[in-house]
Amino acid sequence: MKSILLAGRDCPLFVPEGKIPPGGFSLMLSNDGDMPAADFEAIFAHIKQQNCVFLAVPPMDRDREYTPWPAPALSQKAPAFSGEGGAYLQFLTKTLLPEARKALPVTADPARTTLVGYSLGGLHALWSATQCGAFGQIGCLSGSLWYDGAAEYFRSHPLNPAVRRVYLSLGTAEEKARNPRMARVGDCTREIHQLLKGHGVSCTLEWNPGGHFRAIPERFLRAIDWLCGQSF
């Protein structure tokens, strides 16, 4: 699998073969570059049809970089969430993305730049859409929208006007989690989906069979088809 070192992080990378289109290829930037279950080889084999660059960024610490504000730990054995998503977003938009655009044949147009993420990475991607206009499309895959204060936050913080389309997904069994905080994910995701539609954002919510860790590559592929196939 090909990768590229950007801003000190070894990022899995797919670049289409063939002629570079005017303005460069569209770019899908993904959190979760550390997730073996995502099966980037399968994603790269599939995304060849979509004619866009896929770049996955590995986090230093998911619980730190993907959380938008501090929250208690999920268990006594786990550390608390430190809520440094703002610093990570600054790193993405001010450091990594400019480096990627210098090193790769990709667009500088936010409308053709997508940010996706899984689990906490999905929460961060959707939260980022309220903070900046760097990404015209967002993918929140099995997003941790149960996170303390998330539903309340999205009620009062609309997405940046540059964000045109949002893909949400969830596993049918995820809201059956034993942890009562995580079990809120179904209701929170449904509410946020309706909020986004009410704000005029083109948004879909797809349900996948099973729990949080089932068929992760397939969930990425469905997101790619919806986000890339219709607009890139």
Side-chain angles (χ1 to χ4, degrees), residues 123-175:
L123 168 67
H124 180 271
L126 188 59
W127 172 81
S128 297
T130 70
Q131 298 292 303
C132 70
F135 308 102
Q137 299 193 129
I138 299 292
C140 177
L141 288 61
S142 286
S144 299
L145 301 183
W146 55 264
Y147 193 77
D148 303 65
E152 295 84 353
Y153 176 86
F154 286 105
R155 286 178 203 144
S156 58
H157 293 79
L159 304 190
N160 186 286
V163 181
R164 300 175 300 131
R165 302 171 71 244
V166 174
Y167 176 92
L168 304 173
S169 73
L170 200 65
T172 54
E174 293 194 54
E175 59 188 338

Side-chain angles (χ1 to χ4, degrees), residues 172-179 182-183 185:
T172 54
E174 293 194 54
E175 59 188 338
K176 300 176 183 177
R178 293 182 180 180
N179 186 296
M182 299 180 75
V185 70

Side-chain angles (χ1 to χ4, degrees), residues 60-212:
M60 298 297 185
D61 182 332
R62 299 176 64 85
D63 292 350
R64 173 168 58 86
E65 293 187 318
Y66 292 167
T67 50
W69 50 79
L74 283 171
S75 70
Q76 293 182 346
K77 297 181 180 179
F81 300 107
S82 58
E84 298 177 37
Y88 175 66
L89 179 59
Q90 287 293 307
F91 165 76
L92 282 185
T93 57
K94 304 300 184 184
T95 303
L96 188 135
L97 196 52
E99 284 194 19
R101 285 173 169 154
K102 288 180 180 179
L104 300 170
V106 296
T107 181
D109 182 2
R112 297 175 54 224
T113 305
T114 300
L115 179 63
V116 301
Y118 197 93
S119 192
L120 284 173
L123 168 67
H124 180 271
L126 188 59
W127 172 81
S128 297
T130 70
Q131 298 292 303
C132 70
F135 308 102
Q137 299 193 129
I138 299 292
C140 177
L141 288 61
S142 286
S144 299
L145 301 183
W146 55 264
Y147 193 77
D148 303 65
E152 295 84 353
Y153 176 86
F154 286 105
R155 286 178 203 144
S156 58
H157 293 79
L159 304 190
N160 186 286
V163 181
R164 300 175 300 131
R165 302 171 71 244
V166 174
Y167 176 92
L168 304 173
S169 73
L170 200 65
T172 54
E174 293 194 54
E175 59 188 338
K176 300 176 183 177
R178 293 182 180 180
N179 186 296
R181 287 164 67 193
M182 299 180 75
R184 301 184 307 220
V185 70
D187 289 340
C188 292
T189 301
R190 292 184 190 93
E191 178 181 351
I192 291 168
H193 176 226
Q194 291 303 315
L195 285 170
L196 296 179
K197 289 176 64 178
H199 291 160
V201 177
S202 177
C203 180
T204 192
L205 169 57
E206 288 196 336
W207 290 88
N208 301 288
H212 189 65

